[in-house]
Every structure is written in C-alpha cells, then in structure tokens.
Amino acid sequence: MLDINNLQASVEGKSILKGLDLHVKAGEVHAIMGPNGSGKSTLAQVLAGRDAFEVTGGSVTWDEHDLLAMPIEERARAGLFLAFQYPVEIPGVSNAYFLKAAVNAVRKHRGLPEFDAMDFLTRVKAEMKAVGMKEEFLYRAVNEGFSGGEKKRNEVLQMALLEPRLAILDETDSGLDIDALKVVADGVNRLRSPERALIVITHYQRLLDYIVPDQVHVLSHGRIVRSGGRELALELEEKGYGWIGDSGEVHSAPEPAGGAQ
Amino acid sequence: MSDVDTWLAHYHAHSAVLPGAELPWLADIRRQAIYRFADEGWPTRRHPRWNHTSLAFMDQQDFAPAGVAPDAAAALARLRGEDAGHWLVFVGGRFDAALSDIGPLPAGAQLSSLAEALATHPEAVEAAFGSHEDGDSPAALNAALASDGAWLRLARGVTLEAPVHLVFIAGADEASRHLRNLIVAEANSEATVVEHYLGSGEASTLTTAVTRLQVDADARLTHLKLQQEAEQTVHLARIDAVQGRGARFASHSLSFGARLARHDIGTRFDGEGCEALFNGLYHLDGRRHVDHHTRIDHAQPRGTSREFYRGLLDGLSRGVFTGRVIVAKDAQRSDAMQRCDNLLLSRQAEADARPELEIYADDVKCSHGATVGQIDEDSLFYLQTRGLDETHARRLLTYAFATEALDRIDLAPLRKQARAALMARLPGGELLEELL
C-alpha cells in the first residue's frame, strides 16, 4: 500500500530524513519508535504534505500514486489521515463546522452524498460518545482551550469520522493519562481492517500494550536502524534509546536505559 | 469641487431651509461652524490627529450625485428580517416617514427625527446639540450642514427592550449628506442603537455623520455602527459620548464600505466607576483606507476601558488605528487596555497602530498591544490535511480572525446582521454560510 524508498528531507537546509525505507501493506499496523529529534514527526509531516520540509530525494508510492506529487487536501481526500502531535487551535471556527466541512470534502471526493446537518449530527454524536467527548465540544472553537487529552480525543474523533485508508498517528499518546490512552488505542483498534493501514509514531512502548503492532521500527538520525516484531518495542522499553549511537549506528552492547529521554 | 468656497456656498444656499433654521441658537451654531470650517479647511497631514489620513485631496475632489440609490424598501426588508425594534429610515439625508416604523415606545422615551424634535422640543435638543467647537473641521462642517438625523431621549430608568435601528440610505440625487444623531440616556436608562449606512453606485459622494451620546449615571448604552457605504464614498464620522457615574457605554464600529472612512470615537468619564468597551472591525481591499481614531478620557477615578480593533487588509489598502487614553491626575485606579490586531491578506496592504497614552495619575493599570500578521501556516496546513482546499481554508481562517470582534456584540440578532454584512464582503462567503 505504502512504499517509502530512500526518502530524504530537510528543513531550512538541515537534513532530517537521510534515506528512509518503509513498506506498509494494507491491514498492517506499524509502530515507529525513536528518540526525540530522530525524524519521526518530520516523516509524518512529509507524508501529509507539509511544504516547510523539502524533499531532497527518494520516493513515496501510495496505491500506485506518487504521494509526494499530490496536494495536501488531495492526500486527505484520498484517505490519508494525520493525527497531529500538537493539534492546532482555530479560534472563531466551531468544531461542528470544521468536522462537517472535513467529512463532506472527503465524502464528495469519494462520490458519496454529502451529509446534511441532521445526518451529520447523528453520526458525529455517535462517534463522540465512542471517544468520550461531551456534545458541548461540537459548539466550541476547534481545539481552543481544550486540554491535551481533549485535543487528542478530537483527533481520534476526526480519524473515526473520516475513515482513512492510511492513518498516521504522530505521538498521539504523549502526555495522556491512562484513560485517554485507552481511548486513542480503542479508536485505532476499531479502525483496523484488512483494507486499512496504520502507522503509529510513539516515543514510549506503553501505547503498544493496547495497540498490538505487526511491525516495530526504530528510527534514528533520519533512518530506520532496526525493524522487528512486537518484542522490539519491549526491548526498547527495557534498554531505552541509549544503545543507538550519535550517528545512528547500532552499538553491540546496549547502554543503560533512559540515556536519551 | 469640495473646497472651502464650495461648502460656504452650499451653506448659504441651504441654511435657510435646514430644519430649525428659525431657531436663533441653532442658526448661530451653524454660522460659527461654517466659518470655523472655512478658517481651518480640510485637515492635512500637518494636523496631529490626521497625520495618517490627509484630507488635502478634498480641495480638488468633485462630488456628484450617485445617480442611483439602493432600493430603500428592499434594503430595509433585508435588514429587518424578523427583527422587532424601532426603525427610522433616512433617505438622502432626510427622514422618510413612510419607510420608518418607530413602533410603540414606553412612557418617558422620545424617538423621532432630529427635524421633528427641533420642531417639538427645541430646548432639549439645544442642550444636546453640541457646539461649533466640537471635534475637528469635518465635525464643524457637519454642525453647519446637518439636515437631519435621529433624536432619542430616555427619561430616568426607562429601558428600551428592542434596539433602535437608524438606517441611512444614500439618495440618488445628493452628492453629499450630513447627519447628526443626538442620544440622551438619563440615569439608569438602557438602550441599544444601531446605525446602518448604505450606499450604491460608482459616483464620488460625501457623508458626514456625528452622533452625540449623553449616558447619565448608571445608564447602559450600546451603540453599533455598520458602515456599508458605496465604493467611492468618503465617510467622515464622529461618535462622541459623555458618561456619568457608573455608566456603561459600548461602541461597536464595523467599517466595510467607503473609499475613505474616518471614525473619531471618544468618550469622557465624568463620574466614578464608568465602563467603556470600544470594539471595531474593518475590512478593506483595493486602495481603500480606514482610520479609527479613539479617545478615552478617564477624567474620574475607577473607570475601566477596553478597546479591541481588528482589521482585514487586502489589496493596496491601509488601516489606521490611533488609541488615545488620557488619565487625569485624580483618576486613580483607572484601568485601560487597548489592542489592535491586523491580518494582512496581501503583501501591499499596510496597517498602522499607535497608542497615545497620557497618564497623570499614579495608581493606574494601562496596557496596549498591536499585532500585524498573515494567515497562520500551521492552521492552514491543519485544515488542508482534513480535506479543505487552500482557498476554502484561507477564507475560513480570514472569517475566523474577524469573528472574534463580532463575538463581542451581545445581542444575537445584531451579531447575526454583522456576520451577514461581513460574509457579503468576504470572497467565497457562500462557502461559509453555515457558520451564520
């Protein structure tokens, strides 16, 4: 479904992704872990189309399309969803308007009839219940004054409403208490299906207690330095990221845990 | 032409037929006012209060009748919708009784055209009319030439539940109109007054408008002005309030039309514990220019003033804000805050914001802040990742920036009218209609 080959990207002349390879098949959940500054968020933003990052090499193919050539909104309409690490506050725009505009933009693209106000409300209220959001959040401005957990729930709500084919969660678990973490995990697990793929970017293995990944990758200095099964996440939890050297090479003897926190 | 001699001639041709021409005190004010205007001429950049908005061009400016006029009945119907309220309609600077619907008023409330008030209770009007010395020379021109306007007087303790709407529709036949509104809210009374200025056509026309408000002790007055003049109109306006002890006054100035609009908005706290809210929103494109020049005179202790002005500036337009705050020596525990935030929608647009604080007391809180920015890239990206195209996202964010100003309007029907007026100005408003 998604083939990333030798992806290189930089911001303001500084190279961040330095030849990244990743292959995700439909139905799979991949976890990407790595220390701060390893390029996790850059990868997510590049896939979503952020033009602050310059792609300097490599390719990304998504369902036989050149993903990098697609405008941001085309990617979204075709079913790519990015759950933001820091969801943006938009004062003056109600969450209800925002969610409906987003859902209808995607539905229109897929040849589905746009929701009218009543249908939309029925749908959104059901999904809000599932993520434990009160109805009042529909009538507040997008993310404005939301707590960290409320913002993340709002991201999961959007993901559920937009029914993406490829969802990327960028540290959606960071700063969450255990209840909110379960909401995020539950949102992801409900979305799992043979047609969909998910990439879960996380610093901690904690989330992976609830979302069981098919593959775990370790990102360091802009490259994937190790891939493995679920047990790799547990190993990282135990040893921390200290065993990854400054230039991304893997030391044979792990250093004590917690070195790169 | 619009030079001094032209206006002197205009005065001589019209003064005898202006309402109240037979009243000596009024004839005197008008005569002194036109001579003051003739002495001073139009303000230029050399004038300290006009150094961002010169009217020197007025000497060479030709004003001509618009030739066309908005369909007054249709415009009124659109504004009114289902809203109750007291509606006074003025076409081309004169009260139109047939289109107006003043409706039932509580005992102790007077609401009429200024011309009628001059005929029925001239003494009360005299006390509220102001003098030739008020304001700068455009205000003097207004004092000399004002042909009508509204008169509202609320006796002590009287509340007008529904808003008073003053609808000023530019006529087809006049090159200029001069309106003067007098509002007297006695102690503990309450009202909301909305002024709508509408025009159409391509001709250059001039509007001068002066609204004077007396807000006595503990009275509550909300004033909302919706300026939607024709594209080539020059709109020179002054809103001048005086507040008694504990009085609350709110001014909302929404300036969307006109080629050049100047709004002088001021209040003086004549008693302790007054509150003033000055809120403004302007949207400009092309080469248009708007200038809000505010003055809050904390003459007495424990007054609170809040100013919020927001601009959306496109094309080669220019938005100016000057916020003057004067805190008198004995006005301790005054609290004044002002903000001016501008969103630039083009590289050529220009915004100026300038606080002028004159503080003579020592126990005061005064703050000011100004920002000039562009559409936030993070917000734009966020919306696009949710499937909104860039144009839709930009329009949504532009609207969102403006709506913060509209949220300060308490009355929901007025907020809705203001939103509709904003939508009508913004490109792609139809995409956003569901926000109403």
Side-chain angles (χ1 to χ4, degrees):
Chain A
M1 173 188 252
L2 182 72
D3 289 294
I4 304 176
N5 290 301
N6 191 30
L7 183 62
Q8 296 158 51
S10 62
V11 61
E12 290 165 358
K14 186 171 180 282
S15 173
I16 311 240
L17 299 181
K18 300 168 183 171
L20 185 142
D21 296 285
L22 182 68
H23 304 280
V24 181
K25 293 197 185 72
E28 290 180 346
V29 175
H30 289 234
I32 297 182
M33 304 183 69
N36 291 330
S38 59
K40 301 192 299 286
S41 281
T42 300
L43 173 63
Q45 300 259 318
V46 166
L47 293 178
R50 183 83 203 232
D51 60 7
F53 298 97
E54 192 193 352
V55 175
T56 52
S59 66
V60 181
T61 308
W62 181 35
D63 283 344
E64 289 156 25
H65 297 290
D66 177 1
L67 180 73
L68 300 177
M70 295 167 75
I72 304 163
E73 64 271 19
E74 292 299 322
R75 302 181 196 197
R77 291 171 187 177
L80 186 146
F81 181 85
L82 170 63
F84 279 54
Q85 182 178 6
Y86 303 109
V88 180
E89 298 192 7
I90 308 183
V93 178
S94 77
N95 216 14
Y97 178 90
F98 166 67
L99 294 170
K100 183 161 172 258
V103 170
N104 279 339
V106 169
R107 283 180 71 85
K108 198 173 163 187
H109 180 83
R110 294 177 189 167
L112 297 167
E114 295 183 38
F115 279 132
D116 65 22
M118 287 308 294
D119 291 344
F120 175 72
L121 276 180
T122 309
R123 172 106 170 82
V124 77
K125 283 179 185 173
E127 293 294 347
M128 287 179 91
K129 205 171 171 187
V131 298
M133 278 175 87
K134 288 190 187 133
E135 231 176 278
E136 59 162 288
F137 285 95
L138 272 182
Y139 307 106
R140 287 172 55 177
V142 179
N143 293 324
E144 192 188 30
F146 288 23
S147 70
E150 287 159 356
K151 283 180 182 169
K152 298 298 173 76
R153 281 174 206 258
N154 206 27
E155 294 293 288
V156 176
L157 172 66
Q158 291 165 45
M159 183 171 75
L161 288 169
L162 294 175
E163 304 178 277
R165 299 187 50 252
L166 172 62
I168 303 159
L169 287 87
D170 186 5
E171 300 208 22
T172 305
D173 54 328
S174 62
L176 294 189
D177 61 27
I178 197 74
D179 288 341
L181 193 73
K182 283 177 179 166
V183 165
V184 171
D186 186 48
V188 169
N189 289 330
R190 277 189 293 131
L191 211 62
R192 285 181 97 144
S193 82
E195 306 83 48
R196 296 199 173 111
L198 290 114
I199 298 174
V200 179
I201 294 172
T202 181
H203 191 93
Y204 305 104
Q205 99 85 28
R206 188 173 68 138
L207 180 64
L208 304 181
D209 287 341
Y210 303 97
I211 302 171
V212 180
D214 297 296
Q215 282 196 58
V216 176
H217 310 276
V218 180
L219 187 61
S220 174
H221 297 276
R223 275 199 300 267
I224 286 176
V225 293
R226 252 186 94 179
S227 298
R230 191 190 170 197
E231 64 287 352
L232 178 56
L234 296 167
E235 190 185 332
L236 284 170
E237 177 83 346
E238 199 178 307
K239 298 174 181 166
Y241 293 109
W243 54 275
I244 301 166
D246 287 345
S247 55
E249 80 282 7
V250 181
H251 293 192
S252 51
E255 292 169 16
Q261 294 293 307
Chain B
M1 298 290 269
S2 186
D3 58 2
V4 163
D5 290 342
T6 307
W7 290 111
L8 262 175
H10 186 100
Y11 165 79
H12 288 300
H14 292 85
S15 63
V17 296
L18 287 175
E22 69 290 355
L23 298 165
W25 63 266
L26 186 52
D28 195 45
I29 289 175
R30 285 173 174 156
R31 191 168 46 248
Q32 293 194 62
I34 195 67
Y35 287 123
R36 179 186 162 205
F37 174 76
D39 269 356
E40 295 183 13
W42 294 107
T44 68
R45 279 184 210 290
R46 285 193 301 278
H47 192 297
R49 283 188 292 277
W50 294 79
N51 54 9
H52 284 88
T53 303
S54 172
L55 296 182
F57 75 94
M58 293 285 270
D59 285 335
Q60 274 82 48
Q61 176 68 51
D62 281 317
F63 290 114
V68 294
D71 178 338
L76 182 64
R78 203 163 48 242
L79 281 177
R80 277 194 79 156
E82 302 298 310
D83 292 349
H86 312 281
W87 293 80
L88 280 75
V89 182
F90 298 80
V91 179
R94 301 262 179 200
F95 182 61
D96 187 318
L99 287 173
S100 298
D101 179 7
I102 291 180
L105 294 166
Q110 297 171 354
L111 177 60
S112 72
S113 69
L114 181 62
E116 190 186 323
L118 281 166
T120 52
H121 27 265
E123 300 81 9
V125 177
E126 182 179 3
F129 194 86
S131 90
H132 66 282
E133 291 177 323
D134 298 336
D136 296 323
S137 63
L141 186 68
N142 176 279
L145 300 179
S147 60
D148 213 342
W151 166 256
L152 171 64
R153 183 181 181 183
L154 300 174
R156 186 176 280 266
V158 172
T159 295
L160 276 190
E161 299 287 349
V164 172
H165 289 271
L166 311 176
V167 184
F168 300 104
I169 299 172
D173 306 327
E174 299 87 7
S176 69
R177 52 179 178 157
H178 308 275
L179 300 152
R180 199 168 183 94
N181 305 305
L182 305 177
I183 296 166
V184 178
E186 292 185 359
N188 206 29
S189 62
E190 180 165 6
T192 297
V193 177
V194 188
E195 296 182 27
H196 306 260
Y197 290 83
L198 301 171
S200 63
E202 305 293 319
S204 289
T205 63
L206 172 68
T207 299
T208 73
V210 170
T211 298
R212 293 174 50 83
L213 306 105
Q214 175 186 323
V215 191
D216 287 348
D218 298 316
R220 296 162 300 279
L221 205 116
T222 297
H223 182 265
L224 192 150
K225 176 169 168 178
L226 207 43
Q227 187 271 105
Q228 298 175 282
E229 296 263 26
E231 295 287 313
Q232 291 301 322
T233 296
V234 174
H235 181 96
L236 305 174
R238 183 173 172 83
I239 294 168
D240 214 347
V242 178
Q243 297 176 239
R245 181 184 45 77
R248 292 211 300 265
F249 172 56
S251 158
H252 303 276
S253 172
L254 310 181
S255 193
F256 297 151
R259 171 180 109 207
L260 182 152
R262 163 78 177 214
H263 305 278
D264 281 275
I265 305 174
T267 189
R268 190 176 77 237
F269 294 169
D270 255 3
E272 294 196 12
C274 291
E275 288 178 27
L277 166 68
F278 282 17
N279 181 38
L281 175 67
Y282 39 95
H283 173 265
L284 297 178
D285 53 16
R287 296 184 167 274
R288 301 189 305 121
H289 181 111
V290 67
D291 182 347
H292 279 90
H293 196 286
T294 69
R295 173 189 51 81
I296 295 184
D297 193 346
H298 284 257
Q300 294 291 330
R302 288 195 292 283
T304 303
S305 62
R306 294 287 177 268
E307 294 183 77
F308 304 96
Y309 287 84
R310 294 211 136 195
L312 300 168
L313 304 174
D314 207 343
L316 296 159
S317 66
R318 185 161 184 218
V320 179
F321 168 75
T322 307
R324 190 161 173 235
V325 174
I326 307 137
V327 181
K329 188 164 162 287
D330 299 320
Q332 300 296 359
R333 296 174 64 194
S334 291
D335 180 352
M337 192 271 268
Q338 70 176 228
R339 283 207 61 80
C340 180
D341 299 293
N342 284 288
L343 181 62
L344 300 184
L345 301 171
S346 89
R347 286 178 191 282
Q348 287 84 34
E350 190 183 333
D352 297 287
R354 185 175 52 166
E356 288 183 358
L357 308 182
E358 295 174 36
I359 299 167
Y360 303 103
D362 44 29
D363 181 13
V364 299
K365 272 205 300 197
C366 284
S367 69
H368 60 87
T371 61
V372 179
Q374 281 143 356
I375 295 235
D376 177 52
E377 291 294 326
D378 290 338
S379 304
L380 196 60
F381 178 61
Y382 189 63
L383 292 174
Q384 286 177 278
T385 64
R386 298 311 184 241
L388 277 64
D389 63 51
E390 186 180 338
T391 309
H392 186 179
R394 280 190 185 278
R395 285 170 182 171
L396 186 56
L397 292 171
T398 304
Y399 170 80
F401 176 86
T403 196
E404 212 170 301
L406 303 184
D407 287 344
R408 294 198 184 90
I409 300 170
D410 282 337
L411 282 175
L414 295 185
R415 199 162 56 235
K416 201 171 164 187
Q417 275 182 359
R419 286 208 172 125
L422 174 66
M423 295 286 188
R425 290 240 27 115
L426 294 180
E430 69 283 353
L431 276 174
L432 308 174
E433 260 169 21
E434 287 181 29
L435 288 166
L436 282 175

